[in-house]
Amino acid sequence: ELAVQASLPREAWGFWADRGATIIQTDEPKAAIDWLAANGYRVPYAEPRIEPAATASIN
């Protein structure tokens, strides 16, 4: 939080992203997402593939 307020987000999230962290816990999620996306670290989830439901028929 202090690094974000001091305009030093690389000091907070970049440290972990550079080391391969895939999860970052923060009190500033919007700022983290924006910074990670702007710096090429954020990889969005793939579009979910919707499969037709397999249902049983009772007759």
Side-chain angles (χ1 to χ4, degrees), residues 49-57:
R49 225 176 103 177
I50 301 173
E51 300 284 334
T55 58
S57 175

Side-chain angles (χ1 to χ4, degrees), residues 18-35:
D18 288 342
R19 286 158 179 77
T22 58
I23 298 173
I24 296 175
Q25 182 176 339
T26 179
D27 292 332
E28 304 289 337
K30 170 95 171 78
I33 289 169
D34 291 347
W35 185 87

